[in-house]
Amino acid sequence: MGTSTSAVATTYTVTGMTCGHCVSSVQAELGRLDGVTDVAVDLAGGKVTVTADAALDEATVAAAIDEAGYRLVPDATPAAGASCCGSCH
């Protein structure tokens, strides 16, 4: 059937989505990005899963979500070598 087995699916947290129109706007903007093959939005959970031919740059995804009128929430996991300030424990 010719489907690619190297597709990369990444899930993002997006704030501000409240209805079906929000879902459509996010899907349309992300669907315009080069290489994107699918966009699935979980409105209740505030999650967006983007499937693409290759990994997408998070800044590009954030810009598309911003263009739709919403905001990408950065991953809260400390980067390698970084330490948590301890306030969340």
Side-chain angles (χ1 to χ4, degrees), residues 6 8 10 14 16 21-22 26 29 34 43 46 56 74 85 87-89:
S6 62
V8 177
T10 307
V14 177
H21 181 269
C22 300
V26 169
E29 288 298 329
D34 287 339
L43 181 61
L56 298 171
C85 66
S87 65
C88 59
H89 298 283

Side-chain angles (χ1 to χ4, degrees), residues 8-76:
V8 177
T10 307
T11 301
Y12 303 94
T13 301
V14 177
T15 61
M17 299 184 301
T18 59
C19 66
H21 181 269
C22 300
V23 170
S24 296
S25 296
V26 169
Q27 287 174 325
E29 288 298 329
L30 290 172
R32 290 184 181 112
L33 297 178
D34 287 339
V36 171
T37 57
D38 186 53
V39 178
V41 179
D42 171 11
L43 181 61
K47 303 288 184 185
V48 177
T49 301
V50 181
T51 304
D53 296 334
L56 298 171
D57 177 61
E58 188 170 310
T60 302
V61 173
I65 290 171
D66 185 61
E67 183 67 27
Y70 309 96
R71 185 167 179 267
L72 176 73
V73 177
D75 184 2

